[in-house]
């Protein structure tokens, strides 16, 4: 699945960015199990994990919506640069005149 979703050139970097927070959450959960209050009642750890899963699901849905909106607003063959100008012949001519 990873090879289908993440390009080979960026796979290690992207996976490392997700690995660090996952390890922090896991270590935090294990450390919390040594706290007397939490060790007696594991529902606190379960509730925290459940809330993180719900938050992740919500954020994933928002990301998909934003990505779909981005794809819909993208026009065929036209790209914009960082300044917002369309890369067409008129704009290129104006830029050449300003530089000259």
């Amino acid at each position: 699945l990873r090879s289908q979703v993440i390009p080979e050139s960026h796979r290690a970097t992207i996976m490392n960015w997700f690995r660090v927070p996952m390890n922090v959450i896991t270590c935090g959960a294990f450390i919390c199990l040594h706290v007397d209050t939490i060790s007696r009642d594991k529902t606190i750890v379960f509730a925290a994990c459940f809330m993180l899963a719900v938050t992740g699901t919500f954020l994933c849905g928002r990301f998909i919506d934003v990505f779909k909106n981005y794809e819909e607003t993208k026009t065929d063959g036209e790209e914009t640069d960082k300044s917002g100008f369309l890369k067409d012949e008129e704009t290129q001519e104006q830029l050449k005149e300003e530089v000259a």
Side-chain angles (χ1 to χ4, degrees):
L1 181 63
R2 289 180 189 164
S3 63
Q4 294 173 353
V5 177
I6 305 170
E8 179 69 33
S9 59
H10 303 322
R11 188 174 306 149
T13 304
I14 292 171
M15 291 308 298
N16 284 333
W17 277 104
F18 285 99
R19 189 173 291 128
V20 171
M22 181 183 63
N23 287 340
V24 168
I25 292 168
T26 304
C27 290
F30 283 137
I31 290 171
C32 286
L33 291 177
H34 293 290
V35 176
D36 291 333
T37 307
I38 297 174
S39 65
R40 281 188 232 126
D41 188 16
K42 305 281 191 285
T43 57
I44 296 171
V45 175
F46 177 75
C49 291
F50 178 75
M51 290 305 298
L52 287 171
V54 168
T55 303
T57 303
F58 173 74
L59 291 175
C60 183
R62 291 288 301 150
F63 175 76
I64 290 171
D65 289 342
V66 168
F67 187 71
K68 283 182 182 177
N69 290 338
Y70 172 75
E71 288 294 321
E72 289 172 359
T73 58
K74 210 169 156 182
T75 58
D76 296 352
E78 292 182 350
E79 296 179 14
T80 56
D81 61 4
K82 290 182 181 178
S83 63
F85 290 115
L86 291 176
K87 292 183 177 179
D88 59 3
E89 292 176 14
E90 271 185 41
T91 306
Q92 290 176 359
E93 291 298 324
Q94 289 175 352
L95 291 173
K96 286 179 185 177
E97 290 174 3
E98 289 176 4
V99 173

